[in-house]
Amino acid sequence: MSIPFRMCVVCRNMKPKEELLRVVKYDGQFTVDTQGKLPGRGAYICKNGECREKFEKQRSFERSFKAALPPGLKENIKKELI
Ligand SMILES: [Zn+2]
């Protein structure tokens, strides 16, 4: 039995997928993938809130996707984080 681990783009820690929120870029569109099942390239952030305040300042998703994030997406990400 192996649990899938992914890396948080902010703190760079490896965590079980269920502890991370997935953001997806597919066909040029960004989505917060709450079900974790959408196709496309994903990047992850800790759900527990410890990385909530840092992802904007560090531009973590921008660096991971090598693209600017739409402003509405950042709000959607923050809404999903505790
Ligand atoms: Zn983190």
Side-chain angles (χ1 to χ4, degrees):
M1 234 171 55
S2 68
I3 309 164
F5 274 64
R6 296 290 183 271
M7 190 176 71
C8 169
V9 292
V10 179
C11 64
R12 303 262 172 196
N13 288 322
M14 299 293 292
K15 297 198 171 182
K17 265 181 89 169
E18 62 202 33
E19 293 179 21
L20 299 161
L21 177 71
R22 185 172 186 245
V23 179
V24 174
K25 186 185 179 194
Y26 181 67
D27 212 12
Q29 302 273 25
F30 289 97
T31 315
V32 179
D33 181 15
T34 49
Q35 300 303 310
K37 290 181 163 59
L38 293 175
R41 188 185 178 310
Y44 298 81
I45 184 170
C46 296
K47 270 184 188 168
N48 65 13
E50 67 186 26
C51 295
R52 186 182 192 276
E53 302 305 322
K54 294 182 190 159
F55 82 88
E56 286 190 275
K57 203 180 286 181
Q58 295 186 2
R59 301 177 62 78
S60 307
F61 284 108
E62 285 87 340
R63 279 190 282 130
S64 180
F65 287 117
K66 297 179 173 65
L69 294 196
L73 184 77
K74 293 181 183 179
E75 295 308 313
N76 288 343
I77 292 170
K78 282 196 271 189
K79 250 183 267 172
E80 294 295 331
L81 303 176
I82 301 157

